[in-house]
Amino acid sequence: MSPREFERRRKQIMRMMGKGGIAILPAAPVRKRNRDSEYAYRQDSDFLYLTGFEEPESVAVLIPGREHGEYIVFCRERDPVRETWDGRRAGTEGAVSDFGADDAFPVSDIDDILPGLLERCERVYYTMGVHPEFDTRLMGWVNELRAQAGKGCHTPQEFVALDHMLHDMRLYKSRAEISTMRRAAKIAANAHCRAMRTVRPGMKEFEIEAEFLHEFRRHGSQPSYNPIVGGGANACILHYTENNAELGAGDLLLIDAGCEIDGYASDITRTFPVSGRFSAAQRAVYEVVLAAQKAAIDKVKPGNHWNEPHDAAVRAITRGLVKLGILKGRLPTLIKEEAYKPFFMHRTGHWLGLDVHDVGDYKVGEEWRELEPGMVLTVEPGIYIAPDAKGVAAKWRGIGVRIEDDVLVTRDGCDVLSRSVPTDPEAIEELIQAA
Ligand code: GLY
Ligand code: MN
Ligand code: MN
């Protein structure tokens, strides 16, 4: 993503803040995995969105209208020894020359500099509660000013939730963001096709997971969440990540896996037969989920409300469960009483972006939000019939199906970014059998 894109975002948020405001964003902390090992570093999404800067121990500050520069970065200084051990650093010079900062200071000097910047402002835009250690430091700087009130020090009067404004911006994807998300969707879609071509009875779930990791990494991407690779009844565990069971010839395999490019996620689920042919019962359940997904995607268009795709999926799934004989009763009553919930217990989708479950309000006041061009969401209905489901015929038990695509709202409808991996059962069977 070009430096221009980040500059445009900073300008936009600064316009919204107005003069007298100061926004403060800390980078994500480094997190220990065990003893001397750390988890792979992932920048905080809000910080990344406004800076494009991927280094830890950084703080971004925006002060609209500040004469000596509106965008200030605190970051680690260059240090040949540390860089030999831990990797390259931009340093304060790089923060200015490569990342567009007007001014940059060593992060070790922040205690001396930030209170002075705060003192000149009226409103502090900050997201409380996400990085608790930094919350405490910020309160410390503010208290320092308060303590000096007698000496004529000024303290900002208002604290404003930065996330509220920023997350609304993040909901509308720019052209550059859409093209990045298209790439993330394409790479993950290819990986799903590769899994279909690779799968054989007797393989372990982790062998299929490995195909995803290979496909993601060879394109410079990485998983956007822990892949779910669940064979047979494991598909009925929504967040199954053990991925260590053997795949049987008669099993369905549910895979929920997506990747991340420049921080932007894809999130795709496909469910397919390990042996290359759906059983009659598997196919019947699959077709209900597919009909629900199509009905939901049909509702993704500008002017429709957030909940319309979900309502359409609920209706199709309930109708399907009646047709299969799993539910009995009148459709409107079953929907009203949420009789589908034991089998479809999650929502039909979520916003997608820098976070897999991306930011942005789903309601405006009491009303579901209207869909608008540039928003990206997932559409992911499913049916999960637990192996011990009560009152359900044995032939359905242990079947779990989800189909999930990434969908962009366009001016006249929608665009399924992940469409290159088939959902049609025949096309899926063909892909598995052709290998
Ligand atoms: N992979 C998480 C989700 O589908 O929401
Ligand atoms: Mn998913
Ligand atoms: Mn999802």
Side-chain angles (χ1 to χ4, degrees):
M1 216 149 285
S2 78
R4 272 266 174 75
E5 173 88 9
F6 296 105
E7 190 187 345
R8 189 185 56 71
R9 296 171 185 175
R10 290 191 295 268
K11 288 255 164 1
Q12 191 179 336
I13 195 84
M14 283 197 277
R15 259 198 312 277
M16 292 159 84
M17 290 161 56
K19 251 191 126 142
I22 178 170
I24 302 171
L25 296 103
V30 173
R31 295 181 209 276
K32 278 253 151 64
R33 184 171 181 274
N34 60 304
R35 201 160 168 87
D36 285 344
S37 300
E38 294 159 358
Y39 282 108
Y41 186 70
R42 169 57 157 78
Q43 189 52 279
D44 174 89
S45 295
D46 284 342
F47 186 95
L48 188 61
Y49 182 76
L50 289 178
T51 66
F53 196 62
E54 303 210 43
E55 291 187 27
E57 296 178 62
S58 323
V59 177
V61 177
L62 299 173
I63 309 177
R66 180 174 175 265
E67 216 172 288
H68 303 294
E70 297 182 306
Y71 174 35
I72 301 145
V73 168
F74 294 90
C75 62
R76 303 175 304 186
E77 284 186 278
R78 299 290 312 269
D79 178 336
V81 176
R82 282 322 321 161
E83 288 182 57
T84 299
W85 285 85
D86 304 329
R88 297 186 180 88
R89 299 176 173 189
T92 49
E93 276 171 33
V96 171
S97 59
D98 301 340
F99 294 91
D102 296 316
D103 223 342
F105 302 102
V107 70
S108 50
D109 292 349
I110 195 166
D111 286 329
D112 300 328
I113 299 171
L114 199 59
L117 296 174
L118 272 169
E119 201 213 334
R120 290 182 194 92
C121 298
E122 304 297 334
R123 295 178 310 285
V124 182
Y125 292 81
Y126 178 72
T127 304
M128 211 53 95
V130 174
H131 301 301
E133 276 178 27
F134 196 84
D135 292 355
T136 311
R137 294 188 72 192
L138 179 59
M139 288 312 114
W141 295 319
V142 172
N143 278 336
E144 218 175 278
L145 293 177
R146 282 187 185 134
Q148 295 178 50
K151 290 192 218 151
C153 251
H154 169 265
T155 328
Q157 287 138 25
E158 260 184 81
F159 278 78
V160 186
L162 174 64
D163 46 336
H164 194 69
M165 284 157 58
L166 200 53
H167 293 179
D168 207 64
M169 264 175 78
R170 279 178 51 188
L171 183 53
Y172 298 89
K173 272 68 179 177
S174 69
R175 214 184 271 233
E177 289 177 293
I178 290 166
S179 107
T180 305
M181 291 186 74
R182 236 180 244 293
R183 273 178 56 216
K186 182 77 191 164
I187 293 166
N190 284 344
H192 278 270
C193 291
R194 176 169 164 161
M196 289 179 193
R197 286 194 300 265
T198 308
V199 72
R200 290 288 171 272
M203 286 177 91
K204 292 287 181 67
E205 292 164 345
F206 54 70
E207 292 180 78
I208 301 299
E209 182 183 3
E211 299 291 324
F212 278 84
L213 300 180
H214 187 188
E215 200 62 29
F216 291 167
R217 288 305 292 146
R218 82 193 191 94
H219 292 289
S221 71
Q222 59 208 343
S224 47
Y225 53 92
N226 294 328
I228 296 166
V229 184
N234 292 337
C236 299
I237 302 168
L238 296 180
H239 293 158
Y240 175 79
T241 50
E242 289 160 51
N243 301 351
N244 57 7
E246 190 172 305
L247 299 167
D251 286 346
L252 281 182
L253 174 57
L254 181 153
I255 302 177
D256 185 342
C259 66
E260 189 175 286
I261 289 276
D262 289 344
Y264 288 86
S266 54
D267 179 8
I268 304 177
T269 307
R270 289 294 183 269
T271 311
F272 53 90
V274 168
S275 63
R277 191 162 289 282
F278 287 95
S279 72
Q282 290 167 346
R283 173 109 182 206
V285 175
Y286 186 90
E287 283 184 345
V288 172
V289 178
L290 185 58
Q293 205 220 16
K294 284 185 173 157
I297 290 176
D298 251 10
K299 295 288 183 189
V300 180
K301 56 175 123 180
N304 275 5
H305 289 94
W306 164 257
N307 216 39
E308 287 181 60
H310 181 63
D311 286 342
V314 161
R315 172 166 286 274
I317 281 181
T318 310
R319 189 190 297 123
L321 289 171
V322 171
K323 211 175 112 201
L324 301 180
I326 295 173
L327 289 181
K328 290 182 185 61
R330 289 183 57 244
L331 190 59
T333 317
L334 293 171
I335 291 173
K336 195 158 160 254
E337 290 174 353
E338 300 185 333
Y340 55 86
K341 273 258 175 97
F343 311 103
F344 176 34
M345 58 294 273
H346 57 75
R347 301 277 311 173
T348 300
H350 48 82
W351 304 128
L352 184 69
L354 280 172
D355 293 305
V356 179
H357 292 178
D358 206 27
V359 294
D361 290 336
Y362 291 99
K363 279 190 170 178
V364 179
E366 290 299 296
E367 298 292 318
W368 291 109
R369 186 169 203 139
E370 259 187 39
L371 298 175
E372 294 177 61
M375 295 174 171
V376 182
L377 58 145
T378 65
V379 178
E380 48 175 311
I383 292 179
Y384 315 91
I385 307 162
D388 56 354
K390 303 240 163 16
V392 179
K395 66 175 173 176
W396 307 119
R397 287 193 220 132
I399 295 180
V401 175
R402 177 165 64 256
I403 308 171
E404 174 174 31
D405 278 298
D406 303 344
V407 184
L408 164 72
V409 184
T410 59
R411 249 192 316 177
D412 42 12
C414 70
D415 185 0
V416 180
L417 305 179
S418 46
R419 79 172 92 77
S420 66
V421 49
T423 55
D424 175 69
E426 263 103 41
I428 286 177
E429 287 185 342
E430 219 170 276
L431 197 52
I432 301 168
Q433 288 170 22

